[in-house]
Amino acid sequence: MSIRQELMRLQWWRRLHSDSLHALPTAILSITDQCNSRCNCCDYWRAGQKELPMELAQQLVEKLASFGTRYVLLTGGEPLQHPHWASIATMFKAKGVRVAMATSGILSFRHSDAILSCIDELYISLDGATPETYQAVRGVDGLSLLERGVERLAGSLPVTFRTTVQRANYREIPAMIRMTCSWGAAHHSFLAVDVHNQAAFARSAEFDRSMALRAEDLDPFAAVLEDTEREFEAEFARRYIVESKSKLRNLHRYFAALLGLQKFPPVRCNAPRFSVFMQTDGSFKPCFFLPPYARPDDISMADALNTPAARGLRQQQRLGRRPECVRCVCPAFKCGRDLLEDA
């Protein structure tokens, strides 16, 4: 190992034990608040009007690359609605950054050539196994458009489907897994619908919370999970289903906890120590669900990421003092070895 590599490893190890960031391997960029879906758990489609300006995007490409960013996830809203999304992706690719995208998939066939040229992996939301359920959850008749795009893309780049589990679709979990397997996907992941966080999804003051499971849904949901474990033993074993069986069962615990029937599953997360979420106005957040703290206008990336407010938020998260984290539906954790390998 070279001296430079050893110094990088030491730098990352230092970061694991500090509330300051000395490098940033992962950045999640919301490039537009506009969206062509009408999801029942999200209000971007009601209020989304902003998009990341190209001038700011160009600055971010330089600043993030110089701060050690090697993985960028483009998201939104619907990122494919940004008129220059491919240019943004291409700029990052030119810096040696791996570029992923999170999308509804509705526009993926129309943009398939551009996606194949500048996107390394794709995350597609799938919230129903039938056109009726899909439209009930996502507000648009888009399942056939999604399938058309996947047929064009799945053989050429990794596609991971992500399902937000809620009352309208939990019974279709096995059918959705069968569907994505037949489409040639790389993975399928599941998370519970968030009905708690006011700061996420551009929500209004009184957003709809009826998507969560009710008490009468808990036993049928448990039976669905048991059937899923039996039918898809091989898919769990090869990590096609991203979550382990125990993590998938935590979805049941989560919905039971929302009803006050038990404690929430323990949350293990250190995402604010290796990633950042950037909003369309350029402001940074430790993650999607925590408040913003700065934007890197005319200051260095290190200064923007390490304001007193930023360090304070990371400290609160690390010490378990953020109420948002107790009910988090998508925590992310990397062990020290993973982070050192990223370095």
Side-chain angles (χ1 to χ4, degrees), residues 82-334:
H82 192 294
H84 306 297
W85 71 265
S87 296
I88 296 172
T90 300
M91 288 190 294
F92 277 112
K93 294 277 287 182
K95 294 291 185 180
V97 175
R98 185 172 177 83
V99 181
M101 177 180 283
T103 172
S104 70
I106 293 175
L107 298 175
S108 58
F109 182 82
R110 184 188 305 177
H111 293 274
S112 58
D113 289 340
I115 290 171
L116 291 172
S117 71
C118 59
I119 297 297
D120 295 299
E121 55 185 315
L122 208 58
Y123 294 87
I124 298 180
S125 299
L126 178 67
D127 294 323
T130 66
E132 294 76 18
T133 302
Y134 185 96
Q135 185 163 3
V137 174
R138 302 194 64 83
V140 294
D141 183 13
L143 186 58
S144 61
L145 293 172
L146 181 158
E147 182 177 5
R148 190 180 181 201
V150 172
E151 289 175 346
R152 172 76 173 86
L153 297 168
S156 301
L157 83 167
V159 175
T160 295
F161 283 94
R162 199 163 206 202
T163 296
T164 300
V165 178
Q166 52 183 280
R167 288 191 67 235
N169 66 11
Y170 74 87
R171 298 176 188 271
E172 296 183 8
I173 287 176
M176 283 188 277
I177 297 172
R178 293 185 209 108
M179 180 183 294
T180 60
C181 282
S182 71
W183 289 345
H187 301 286
H188 198 146
S189 178
F190 297 87
L191 73 159
V193 64
D194 177 90
V195 293
H196 170 69
N197 195 289
Q198 180 69 58
F201 306 106
R203 283 169 167 167
S204 59
E206 294 300 326
F207 66 90
D208 184 13
R209 291 174 168 83
S210 65
M211 300 86 70
L213 272 62
R214 299 174 182 171
E216 60 267 27
D217 296 306
L218 293 179
D219 285 346
F221 184 38
V224 168
L225 293 177
E226 290 174 3
D227 291 342
T228 300
E229 291 183 15
R230 283 194 296 268
E231 180 176 351
F232 300 104
E233 184 72 41
E235 285 71 21
F236 280 106
R238 64 184 176 92
R239 296 301 301 273
Y240 178 82
I241 299 174
V242 174
E243 292 74 24
S244 65
K245 294 178 181 180
S246 62
K247 285 188 177 181
L248 207 59
R249 286 193 294 269
N250 275 344
L251 299 181
H252 187 278
R253 294 178 60 188
Y254 175 84
F255 287 116
L258 284 177
L259 294 166
L261 301 176
Q262 63 179 81
K263 293 182 179 180
F264 285 95
V267 172
R268 191 184 190 197
C269 180
N270 61 357
R273 317 195 100 63
F274 63 84
S275 65
V276 70
F277 180 87
M278 175 172 283
Q279 303 184 111
T280 52
D281 63 0
S283 58
F284 285 159
K285 302 172 73 172
C287 76
F288 183 70
F289 295 103
L290 292 177
Y293 54 76
R295 53 179 296 167
D297 292 322
D298 296 323
I299 59 176
S300 70
M301 186 64 67
D303 289 339
L305 291 169
N306 292 300
T307 64
R311 295 196 306 272
L313 280 169
R314 284 192 286 272
Q315 181 186 56
Q316 292 171 14
Q317 187 272 336
R318 174 173 57 83
L319 298 175
R321 295 174 180 170
R322 294 298 310 187
E324 303 97 326
C325 298
V326 175
R327 301 185 180 192
C328 184
V329 296
C330 54
F333 180 83
K334 285 192 175 186

Side-chain angles (χ1 to χ4, degrees), residues 328-342:
C328 184
V329 296
C330 54
F333 180 83
K334 285 192 175 186
C335 66
R337 177 180 295 178
D338 292 335
L339 293 173
L340 289 173
E341 287 177 354
D342 286 345

